[in-house]
Amino acid sequence: MSDKNPKQMEYGVLGDDEMSQEDKVAKYTGEVDWSYLKPHYKTGAMIYVDPSLKLTEVAQAFIDDDKEKVGAWMKKADLVKPGPQHAEWWEYDDSRFTAVVCTPFVLAQPLEKAE
């Protein structure tokens, strides 16, 4: 917990090296398929990020514990905890995502399919 704000959650990006959080977000963001995300979905740790948002900005909002920003995105359904219908579709569709781990969550944004 932070000394400044005892109610603040401490989210972070994987890796315990000396990199800044911004550099970690860039380093630990990558393309994944549904098989990578499925276990995170099953534990409730996956958060779907609408393609209209910038994934790095969303990750930074989680790291900064910016409840106002995250709450606004959730209220507009730009961030959602996926349900069974999503999972079924992604399984069927062989969907691919850009994802980043912001412990304890995995933020995932769909990649556009090549025509």
Side-chain angles (χ1 to χ4, degrees):
M1 291 265 182
S2 171
D3 292 335
K4 301 183 281 187
N5 182 353
K7 293 184 179 185
Q8 181 175 353
M9 293 286 293
E10 287 195 15
Y11 300 108
V13 180
L14 286 178
D16 56 2
D17 50 36
E18 298 298 314
M19 296 171 68
S20 71
Q21 289 291 354
E22 293 83 7
D23 289 342
K24 286 181 185 180
V25 168
K27 180 178 179 180
Y28 294 106
T29 299
E31 291 184 18
V32 298
D33 59 22
W34 172 241
S35 66
Y36 172 84
L37 293 171
K38 194 173 185 178
H40 302 289
Y41 159 75
K42 287 181 175 181
T43 63
M46 179 185 169
I47 297 180
Y48 174 89
V49 179
D50 189 84
S52 67
L53 299 178
K54 194 171 178 186
L55 186 60
T56 54
E57 182 181 349
V58 174
Q60 194 60 52
F62 272 80
I63 292 165
D64 294 342
D65 196 29
D66 190 335
K67 292 178 181 81
E68 189 174 315
K69 215 179 242 189
V70 172
W73 288 326
M74 291 185 103
K75 188 174 183 178
K76 292 187 341 186
D78 288 335
L79 296 180
V80 296
K81 285 226 174 196
Q85 299 87 349
H86 298 105
E88 288 172 17
W89 174 253
W90 294 328
E91 186 82 36
Y92 166 80
D93 191 46
D94 290 327
S95 296
R96 292 196 50 79
F97 300 82
T98 302
V100 62
V101 177
C102 284
T103 306
F105 300 109
V106 177
L107 308 178
Q109 189 172 54
L111 289 170
E112 290 189 28
K113 289 197 178 258
E115 297 289 322

